[in-house]
């Protein structure tokens, strides 16, 4: 399978890239990114592009079987600008999905968020829900929506507050049972492994 990946420099995306490169059913991984990566691999193709330019996205890859979207930003990174937030979390995955369909993609695998709901009154959850709804409506044979809660893992630019919260989340997760289980913290590597495995499932439909 030929794969396209966005968000490879993020917590889940970084783990997913490493996993995809060693999976025998993945022939190649085209990474769409704003900046070059620090390593190379025989199965990896890096395309440094301007995501605001639809032509750049369209020309960044040829045929593709599956698209993985791990792209996302934070309020601090966009300095509270909701328009800028939407350009990253909504426009990038949707624009890449549309280009991918024209290049033959039949599967789309998206990192969303627990609580995603296009009718939510919360900006973040509403945005995630809108992305899910739009991509699910485009016509892919199969769409996999991953809704993790608080992510655990290592990242070079880990914020101090998150580093403090992570051990607490591990403790809180022990008490989250029944309907609260979906809010348990989860290792980014576990999410990435599940996404990679989903890519080889021969199912049609929308799965959460």
């Amino acid at each position: 399978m030929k794969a396209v990946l966005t968000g490879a420099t993020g917590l889940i995306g970084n783990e997913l890239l490493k996993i995809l490169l060693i999976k025998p059913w993945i022939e190649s991984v085209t990474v769409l990114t704003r900046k070059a990566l620090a390593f190379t691999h025989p199965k990896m193709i890096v395309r440094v592009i301007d995501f605001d330019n639809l032509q750049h996205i369209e020309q960044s890859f040829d045929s593709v079987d599956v698209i993985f979207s791990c792209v996302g930003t934070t309020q601090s990174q966009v300095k509270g600008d909701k328009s800028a937030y939407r350009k990253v979390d909504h426009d990038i995955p949707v624009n890449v999905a549309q280009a991918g369909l024209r290049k033959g993609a039949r599967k789309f695998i998206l990192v969303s968020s627990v609580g995603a709901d296009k009718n939510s009154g919360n900006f973040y959850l509403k945005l995630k829900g809108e992305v899910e709804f739009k991509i699910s409506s485009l016509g892919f044979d199969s769409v996999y929506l991953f809704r993790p809660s608080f992510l655990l893992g290592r990242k070079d630019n880990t914020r101090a507050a998150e580093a403090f919260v992570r051990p607490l989340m591990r403790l809180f997760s022990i008490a989250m049972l029944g309907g609260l289980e979906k809010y348990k913290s989860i290792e980014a590597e576990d999410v990435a492994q599940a996404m990679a495995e989903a890519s080889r499932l021969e199912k049609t439909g929308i799965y959460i």
Side-chain angles (χ1 to χ4, degrees):
M1 300 175 70
K2 294 182 179 179
V4 164
L5 169 65
T6 64
T9 59
L11 191 57
I12 293 177
N14 181 258
E15 295 289 348
L16 179 58
L17 176 58
K18 292 184 289 186
I19 292 167
L20 293 178
L21 292 175
I22 62 173
K23 292 299 185 183
W25 65 87
I26 299 295
E27 175 185 336
S28 65
V29 182
T30 299
V31 179
L32 308 186
T33 179
R34 293 188 189 277
K35 58 183 180 180
L37 303 187
F39 71 101
T40 61
H41 189 280
K43 288 171 60 172
M44 182 173 71
I45 304 164
V46 178
R47 298 286 187 239
V48 179
I49 66 171
D50 175 8
F51 284 103
D52 294 330
N53 189 320
L54 296 180
Q55 189 174 15
H56 278 197
I57 295 175
E58 190 77 29
Q59 296 174 346
S60 61
F61 57 95
D62 296 318
S63 62
V64 58
D65 300 297
V66 57
I67 298 173
F68 297 90
S69 178
C70 305
V71 70
T73 189
T74 64
Q75 289 286 1
S76 61
Q77 287 176 322
V78 297
K79 298 179 174 59
D81 185 336
K82 291 184 177 180
S83 177
Y85 206 124
R86 185 177 181 82
K87 286 177 68 174
V88 175
D89 279 46
H90 176 279
D91 294 358
I92 291 177
V94 170
N95 290 339
V96 171
Q98 291 172 331
L101 275 173
R102 292 189 288 270
K103 302 294 182 71
R106 305 317 306 161
K107 296 179 183 180
F108 196 99
I109 301 177
L110 173 74
V111 175
S112 184
S113 170
V114 64
D117 182 353
K118 64 184 178 66
N119 297 314
S120 174
N122 176 277
F123 168 78
Y124 176 76
L125 298 180
K126 178 180 176 66
L127 182 61
K128 291 298 186 183
E130 289 176 351
V131 176
E132 289 187 356
F133 178 77
K134 184 64 177 289
I135 289 175
S136 297
S137 304
L138 289 177
F140 288 97
D141 288 348
S142 54
V143 174
Y144 296 88
L145 308 173
F146 283 78
R147 294 178 175 175
S149 184
F150 191 89
L151 292 169
L152 303 172
R154 295 180 178 273
K155 191 176 178 183
D156 292 340
N157 63 344
T158 298
R159 292 179 288 276
E162 289 189 1
F164 173 76
V165 169
R166 281 188 174 121
L168 297 179
M169 289 302 296
R170 286 191 172 96
L171 291 175
F172 292 150
S173 292
I174 298 173
M176 292 180 178
L177 303 173
L180 295 176
E181 278 195 299
K182 64 182 179 181
Y183 296 107
K184 283 185 175 183
S185 56
I186 185 170
E187 294 287 345
E189 183 180 358
D190 291 341
V191 180
Q193 287 281 7
M195 293 176 72
E197 290 300 321
S199 70
R200 65 173 177 172
L201 297 178
E202 295 299 330
K203 300 194 296 183
T204 59
I206 301 167
Y207 302 91
I208 299 173

